[in-house]
Amino acid sequence: MDEARPGAIAKNIAPSFILGQSNDIMANARASIAIGQRFSNCVVLCSDYSRGKLHWRCRCDCGITFIAGPSRLTGGTTTSCVSCKKKSNAQAKVTNLEGRRFGRLVILGRAGSRAGKAVWRCQCDCGSEPVLIAGPRLLVKSGPTRSCGCLAKEAPAKRRIDLVGRAFGKLSVVRHERGDLWICRCACGTSIKKRAQPLREGRTLYHCGSFICDAEETFIGPALSRAQAKKMNLPRYSPGKRCKRGHLGSYLVSNMSCELCHQKRGLEFKENYPEKMRLYDKRSRARPVAKSNRNATLLARRQADPVFRCVELLRTRVGRTLRRISVKKIKAFNRGSALEDAIYSVLQRQGLSIGDIKDGQYELDHVVPLAAWMWSASSTANGLIEREANGASNLQFLSKSAHRRKTKQDRERYGWSGSGPAYKDHTEFLCSLLLGEGTYPTYFAGNEKVIVEELKVALTGTREVTLSKSGRLGSRRPPRRKGKKASVQVRLAAADAG
């Protein structure tokens, strides 16, 4: 412990349990190793007890100081620091490959190391510039490097199947581009690049991708894309493709949905949620914009379609007639198509055209005026009367002068005053006819019981049980009639008793 030590090395003080060891062991350890002794690439500086045993602090030739045990120094296991040992081990493992041949590569010499691996400069037989390749890539057994990359370029060309001239759907292969890419020409004249394997396996589109080429062969009509339809402000477009449900038709620009599928979904929603549909329709009609749009649409249709104008005129006349006798409108009064057919029949019968009635030369007239029919409180009877009164046999087109003469003759025939037709409520009279006191019209046949029940309710004032709009049970009292006769009520009571 009395040896001189360099001033840069701190003095190590042995622990107490080390100081208690026998002097013989410490003397033998010092005798085998001396301060300043060299072991290959390191020199012993001093003893060290920091690890609980006798160790020696040494300095490597690279300048790094480290601690080593006596047995490792004397046995030759430790001859340098860790970093120098790693370098020496790596150099000892490197195999000299200079001058050797690997496939098309000839090793020219070593070019240093990269990530702890030896790098070699290699020359390929193809004549390209020397390349740097790591040693393990040359010596590996599975997939070693054997060229500068020229083999990888030549191998696919040998294995490649020539597709020039072959047709795939609407595509015909023109030439090879590079690698697995081929230049194909579509039937529309567009050139497009396609890979060989998807072409052969059918995993790609056999056309250029345009909406015209994408249309099916069975599609008849011009194909149009959504972008073009949107630019032209069209509500629908026809891409020529089938939807997911197999429909081949037009699509909506707003949501890109098949029109048939859209209608089917709408009908299903109406059937499943009728209350929601009524609420949506009520909210939609309550908007001021919707009302103005409806009025504008109706006005434009009246001006463009004279037949529609005549249909509206017939509806207005029937509604006015029923209001004059204080009777509600006919239920489900939706006979637009039937009225249009009747008007076309009248035009054909009289040999007139739509242009004649559009210019206002002819006016629509009832052969038997509406005021002369037996309107009553029975909605069923009123519906049957409306069908007869607005039938083709009771309609005619007259010129303005002839229409005025016809109106004057009707006033004299039916005994109307100068103010206009006399609208009467025939509820009591019709009830007496149906009860056997007279002959009723033939178009009432088959509906006598229903009409009589409705007339009974109107005449006797019995409350009628109905369903309100909210779906709740309610009652509605029919309008009170003036001038009810006791004889009619007696006849109704007798009919009930019989």
Side-chain angles (χ1 to χ4, degrees):
M1 299 293 294
D2 299 333
E3 291 87 348
R5 296 190 177 98
I9 304 300
K11 184 176 180 181
N12 293 307
I13 302 175
S16 58
F17 65 89
I18 293 297
L19 294 176
Q21 292 180 351
S22 62
N23 295 330
D24 297 338
I25 297 175
M26 297 177 65
N28 293 333
R30 289 194 186 95
S32 59
I33 299 175
I35 295 176
Q37 185 177 354
R38 173 172 286 274
F39 293 92
S40 186
N41 296 326
C42 62
V43 178
V44 178
L45 297 179
C46 63
S47 58
D48 191 302
Y49 294 96
S50 61
R51 298 185 180 180
K53 292 182 181 181
L54 174 63
H55 284 73
W56 296 95
R57 184 176 294 276
C58 308
R59 178 185 286 115
C60 183
D61 291 345
C62 65
I64 298 176
T65 304
F66 62 93
I67 297 174
S71 59
R72 298 184 67 87
L73 289 173
T74 55
T77 306
T78 302
T79 59
S80 63
C81 64
V82 177
S83 59
C84 292
K85 186 176 182 180
K86 288 183 179 180
K87 291 180 181 180
S88 61
N89 292 340
Q91 291 178 358
K93 292 180 181 178
V94 173
T95 305
N96 188 10
L97 304 179
E98 187 174 354
R100 293 181 58 178
R101 171 176 286 274
F102 297 91
R104 294 186 178 184
L105 297 175
V106 177
I107 310 301
L108 302 179
R110 185 166 178 180
S113 301
R114 183 188 302 162
K117 300 176 182 179
V119 178
W120 301 89
R121 182 179 286 103
C122 309
Q123 178 65 50
C124 185
D125 293 343
C126 66
S128 61
E129 295 183 359
V131 292
L132 300 179
I133 303 175
R137 292 298 307 157
L138 295 169
L139 300 173
V140 70
K141 294 182 179 180
S142 177
T145 303
R146 291 294 180 263
S147 69
C148 63
C150 56
L151 280 176
K153 297 178 181 178
E154 295 175 1
K158 294 180 180 179
R159 298 193 305 266
R160 185 185 303 124
I161 300 175
D162 190 11
L163 301 179
V164 176
R166 292 183 59 178
F168 298 92
K170 295 183 179 181
L171 296 178
S172 57
V173 183
V174 179
R175 59 183 175 85
H176 176 255
E177 176 70 9
R178 68 179 184 278
D180 198 29
L181 287 177
W182 295 80
I183 303 296
C184 304
R185 188 178 300 278
C186 186
C188 64
T190 307
S191 297
I192 188 173
K193 295 179 181 180
K194 292 286 185 179
R195 295 192 176 274
Q197 188 171 357
L199 271 177
R200 295 196 304 268
E201 296 178 357
R203 294 187 291 105
T204 184
L205 298 176
Y206 284 159
H207 51 79
C208 61
S210 65
F211 65 94
I212 297 177
C213 298
D214 196 18
E216 295 189 8
E217 296 180 357
T218 57
F219 177 73
I220 301 175
L224 192 67
S225 65
R226 180 173 179 265
Q228 291 181 345
K230 200 172 183 180
K231 188 180 295 182
M232 299 167 64
N233 294 327
L234 298 177
R236 299 172 183 83
Y237 68 100
S238 299
K241 294 173 58 179
R242 294 185 181 272
C243 68
K244 294 180 179 179
R245 297 184 179 180
H247 301 146
L248 184 61
S250 59
Y251 287 64
L252 297 175
V253 175
S254 58
N255 57 2
M256 296 184 293
S257 174
C258 172
E259 189 172 7
L260 296 177
C261 297
H262 184 76
Q263 293 177 359
K264 186 175 181 180
R265 288 194 297 268
L267 293 175
E268 291 177 355
F269 187 84
K270 288 181 181 179
E271 293 177 0
N272 298 331
Y273 307 99
E275 296 183 358
K276 286 186 177 181
M277 290 303 304
R278 287 196 294 268
L279 180 61
Y280 294 158
D281 185 60
K282 184 177 180 180
R283 290 179 179 176
S284 177
R285 287 179 169 273
R287 294 183 304 167
V289 178
K291 187 175 181 180
S292 61
N293 291 341
R294 288 197 303 272
N295 294 338
T297 303
L298 288 175
L299 180 61
R301 189 173 179 183
R302 291 190 191 107
Q303 295 175 353
D305 189 359
V307 176
F308 176 75
R309 189 166 62 247
C310 294
V311 170
E312 280 197 327
L313 179 62
L314 295 177
R315 288 176 172 175
T316 303
R317 288 178 179 178
V318 174
R320 182 177 57 190
T321 301
L322 296 177
R323 285 196 299 271
R324 292 290 180 89
I325 63 174
S326 302
V327 175
K328 63 180 181 179
K329 289 184 179 180
I330 303 171
K331 293 182 179 179
F333 184 46
N334 186 15
R335 297 183 59 245
S337 59
L339 295 176
E340 287 182 2
D341 296 340
I343 292 172
Y344 281 117
S345 299
V346 174
L347 290 175
Q348 185 178 5
R349 184 184 66 202
Q350 296 185 225
L352 300 177
S353 63
I354 296 179
D356 296 334
I357 61 176
K358 185 176 182 180
D359 298 338
Q361 299 178 6
Y362 293 88
E363 296 178 351
L364 185 62
D365 176 66
H366 287 86
V367 177
V368 179
L370 291 178
W373 295 79
M374 291 188 297
W375 304 101
S376 63
S378 173
S379 59
T380 304
N382 291 339
L384 296 173
I385 293 173
E386 186 273 332
R387 290 177 181 271
E388 293 294 327
N390 288 335
S393 60
N394 194 48
L395 297 177
Q396 61 181 353
F397 284 98
L398 300 175
S399 62
K400 294 183 178 180
S401 58
H403 195 194
R404 285 194 296 269
R405 290 194 301 269
K406 168 77 167 38
T407 304
K408 186 176 180 180
Q409 294 173 3
D410 291 340
R411 187 180 296 113
E412 295 175 357
R413 179 182 302 173
Y414 297 103
W416 297 337
S417 62
S419 59
Y423 297 95
K424 296 181 180 179
D425 185 1
H426 296 82
T427 301
E428 297 176 1
F429 177 70
L430 184 58
C431 184
S432 62
L433 290 179
L434 293 174
L435 290 176
E437 297 184 5
T439 305
Y440 54 85
T442 56
Y443 48 81
F444 286 164
N447 299 284
E448 295 90 342
K449 292 184 179 180
V450 179
I451 296 174
V452 169
E453 291 296 329
E454 293 176 353
L455 294 176
K456 283 182 182 180
V457 172
L459 290 174
T460 58
T462 306
R463 288 184 179 271
E464 195 175 353
V465 179
T466 59
L467 280 176
S468 63
K469 292 184 179 180
S470 61
R472 298 180 179 178
L473 287 175
S475 61
R476 181 182 61 82
R477 183 183 297 277
R480 182 173 295 176
R481 305 291 171 181
K482 296 181 179 180
K484 295 181 182 178
K485 297 181 180 180
S487 60
V488 175
Q489 297 182 0
V490 171
R491 288 196 300 272
L492 290 174
D496 292 340

